[in-house]
Amino acid sequence: DCLVYLREAVDRSERLLVAINFDRRMRRFTLPTVKAHGVILLSTDPASTDRRFDPQQAKLRPEEGILVRLDQG
């Protein structure tokens, strides 16, 4: 129901997480191997844009998509 993937610059200067929920229900997801704290740059829900992203509480609203710039480190 969700598509979640990571994009990383060749020089590793920037990492972006893309997460899309295709379901009509809220979905939670986990990222066990990625340090994924960051800032939501863009969301289909304007209220989520510019908020901090916490991988321990990762959830997507129905039919929501987000783009997250991950913290360096």
Side-chain angles (χ1 to χ4, degrees):
D1 297 328
C2 292
L3 173 65
V4 180
Y5 63 95
L6 180 67
R7 299 283 301 180
E8 187 170 50
V10 174
D11 64 359
R12 298 182 184 211
S13 62
E14 185 173 49
R15 296 184 314 151
L16 298 173
L17 176 78
V18 178
I20 305 167
N21 179 8
F22 294 101
D23 201 332
R24 292 181 184 212
R25 294 174 288 173
M26 186 199 64
R27 293 292 186 194
R28 295 186 182 279
F29 62 95
T30 58
L31 303 167
T33 61
V34 177
K35 292 183 180 179
H37 287 86
V39 175
I40 299 173
L41 297 177
L42 185 64
S43 173
T44 54
D45 176 2
S48 295
T49 300
D50 294 327
R51 289 190 177 177
R52 292 290 300 164
F53 176 79
D54 180 353
Q56 302 301 317
Q57 299 176 8
K59 63 183 175 184
L60 293 169
R61 291 177 178 83
E63 300 175 338
E64 181 182 21
I66 60 173
L67 175 64
V68 180
R69 176 178 287 133
L70 300 178
D71 297 338
Q72 298 294 342

